[in-house]
Every structure is written in structure tokens, then in C-alpha cells.
């Protein structure tokens, strides 16, 4: 079921080889989900469907931790991801958080299982010209992320996030609202790290470790966790 007990207080899938998932300017889809939420599996399935059918999206599953009290600890959950969701709620003027919630390019919030609303939000995001171009390419034993202003619309500075994720998981849930079910999910976030501030006059390149498995994404975002300005990913 939906949950709103927290008040606000403060692509690329299933190919068999490493590749850069850089279609130019993917729409970033951040699904806040939980293995213990009975309303979340349809949203997980929709995210998987979008990942398989649309190369111009970057889907990420952030598993929140506030459902873990139902005798099942989500295998990917973290309070860090809950905090990210709460920051979005504050920035969007919402009274609380819920699952499954999909944040589209940092600016739109929809129920993650509502296919019509999700598609409308993606279409709206595509109508806005990206302010920043991001690419990730292998270079020897590392990856090089390049960030460049895309015309005069780029801000004076922005935040850079590095997101690591597992591409696919099938999890048997032993308890909670989904007890006894086996759930599938994609691009399950395992870490999110701030890489500091980007400015148009910086060197604009970042060296990254190549993931042994899974993927890595770079998201450039308006400071304060606002609009996504540009993103790219690489999967192994």
C-alpha cells in the first residue's frame, strides 16, 4: 500500500557485454521503491518495461528503508535513499513521501505504477532542452566522464552525483506485504556519492573505476537536488 508516514523535515538492461549507455540526454527516472511494499511490484515492472523499450531513459531503483519494519529488510534499502526522497519532497513542496514514487529528471513526481502519468512526465521532460551534455567512455583501465555546457542555458555551477547500481535482481521475499513472492527489479542502486561541484570553466572530466559488474551513472543536477541537467551511464 502507499505510505505517507514520513513528514518532510529537511538501459540499459540485460545485454551480455560492457557498453556505454549514452544516447545524448537520457531522461533520469528515479523510482523510490521497497521489496516490502505491496504497491511497488507494478512500478518495478513498469521501470523494467521502459528500460527495455526506450533507450533514451536512465532508470534507477532507490530502495527506501522505512518499510523494513515489516519483518523483512529490503536487500537494497538504505536510509541514504530515503533521505534523497525526502529532499525531493521538500523541494517539490510535498507534505510527505510515499512508495512507489517516481521522480522524473528531478522536477516531476508521479506514482511509479501509473503508466499514463509516467509517460506524460517523460514526454514533458523531453520538451526541455538539456543544459549539460554528459558522456562516459572507457579509457584503458578506467572510465572517463566528460561534462560540457550545452549552450548558454547551463548554470554557473551544479552538483555531480556518481550512482552505482546492480542491473538486475530476482529476490524471494520471505515476509512483509510481499511475503512469499519472488520480485524482479532493475538498476538497483548500491551507492550514491557526491563528486562535488561542476562549473562550465572546470576541466570537465572525471576518472571513474570500471564496475566489476553492474553499472555506474553520472548525474549533473541543479544544486540542492533540483532539476537534472544532464546524465549518462555505463554498464558492465
Amino acid at each position: 500500500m502507499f505510505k505517507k508516514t514520513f513528514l518532510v523535515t529537511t538501459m540499459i538492461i540485460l545485454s551480455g557485454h560492457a557498453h556505454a549507455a549514452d544516447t545524448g540526454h537520457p531522461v533520469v527516472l528515479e523510482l523510490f521503491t521497497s521489496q516490502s511494499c505491496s504497491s511497488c511490484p507494478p512500478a518495478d515492472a513498469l521501470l523494467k518495461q521502459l528500460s527495455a523499450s526506450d533507450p533514451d531513459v536512465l532508470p534507477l531503483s532507490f530502495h527506501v528503508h522505512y518499510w523494513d519494519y515489516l519483518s523483512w529488510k529490503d536487500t537494497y534499502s538504505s536510509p541514504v535513499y530515503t533521505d534523497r526522497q525526502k529532499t525531493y519532497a521538500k523541494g517539490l513542496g510535498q507534505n510527505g513521501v510515499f512508495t512507489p514514487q517516481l521522480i522524473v529528471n528531478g522536477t516531476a513526481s508521479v506514482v511509479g505504477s501509473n503508466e499514463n502519468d509516467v509517460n506524460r512526465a517523460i514526454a514533458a521532460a523531453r520538451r526541455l532542452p538539456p543544459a549539460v551534455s554528459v558522456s562516459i567512455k572507457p579509457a584503458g583501465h578506467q572510465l572517463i566522464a566528460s561534462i560540457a555546457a550545452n549552450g548558454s542555458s547551463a548554470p554557473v555551477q551544479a552538483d555531480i552525483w556518481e550512482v552505482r547500481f546492480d542491473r538486475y535482481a530476482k529476490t524471494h521475499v520471505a515476509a512483509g506485504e510481499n511475503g512469499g513472492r519472488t520480485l524482479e527489479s532493475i538498476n538497483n542502486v548500491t551507492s550514491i556519492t557526491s563528486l562535488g561541484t561542476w562549473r562550465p570553466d572546470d576541466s570537465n572530466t572525471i576518472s571513474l573505476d570500471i564496475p566489476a559488474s553492474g553499472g555506474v551513472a553520472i548525474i549533473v543536477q541543479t544544486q540542492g537536488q533540483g532539476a537534472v541537467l544532464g546524465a549518462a551511464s555505463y554498464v558492465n
Side-chain angles (χ1 to χ4, degrees), residues 37-118:
C37 164
S38 62
S39 297
C40 286
D44 298 330
L46 179 57
L47 198 70
K48 181 181 177 183
Q49 174 188 318
L50 290 168
S51 177
S53 64
D54 190 344
D56 295 321
V57 297
L58 170 52
L60 297 167
S61 297
F62 287 87
H63 291 245
V64 297
H65 81 298
Y66 49 80
W67 283 98
D68 288 353
Y69 76 95
L70 291 177
S71 66
W72 174 259
K73 185 181 186 304
D74 188 311
T75 53
Y76 286 100
S77 67
S78 170
V80 173
Y81 311 148
T82 301
D83 288 344
R84 184 168 177 85
Q85 185 186 27
K86 291 167 69 176
T87 298
Y88 275 129
K90 180 180 180 181
L92 294 172
Q94 298 175 333
N95 291 326
V97 297
F98 64 92
T99 54
Q101 181 181 27
L102 187 72
I103 301 294
V104 180
N105 261 9
T107 58
S109 168
V110 295
V111 175
S113 55
N114 188 319
E115 186 171 1
N116 289 334
D117 286 352
V118 169

Side-chain angles (χ1 to χ4, degrees), residues 14-52:
L14 302 183
S15 72
H17 58 281
H19 64 282
D22 178 19
T23 60
H25 308 289
V27 176
V28 177
L29 308 178
E30 299 181 55
L31 177 64
F32 292 92
T33 184
S34 172
Q35 294 168 357
S36 284
C37 164
S38 62
S39 297
C40 286
D44 298 330
L46 179 57
L47 198 70
K48 181 181 177 183
Q49 174 188 318
L50 290 168
S51 177

Side-chain angles (χ1 to χ4, degrees), residues 168-223:
Y168 174 78
K170 182 180 285 188
T171 307
H172 179 74
V173 178
E177 289 190 354
N178 290 316
R181 299 181 64 181
T182 297
L183 306 180
E184 294 182 274
S185 55
I186 65 155
N187 292 7
N188 302 286
V189 174
T190 56
S191 70
I192 181 168
T193 306
S194 171
L195 298 184
T197 302
W198 173 82
R199 298 175 180 84
D201 57 352
D202 288 344
S203 62
N204 300 333
T205 60
I206 302 169
S207 296
L208 305 169
D209 292 333
I210 297 177
S213 62
V216 58
I218 292 293
I219 299 173
V220 181
Q221 191 167 21
T222 301
Q223 289 191 307

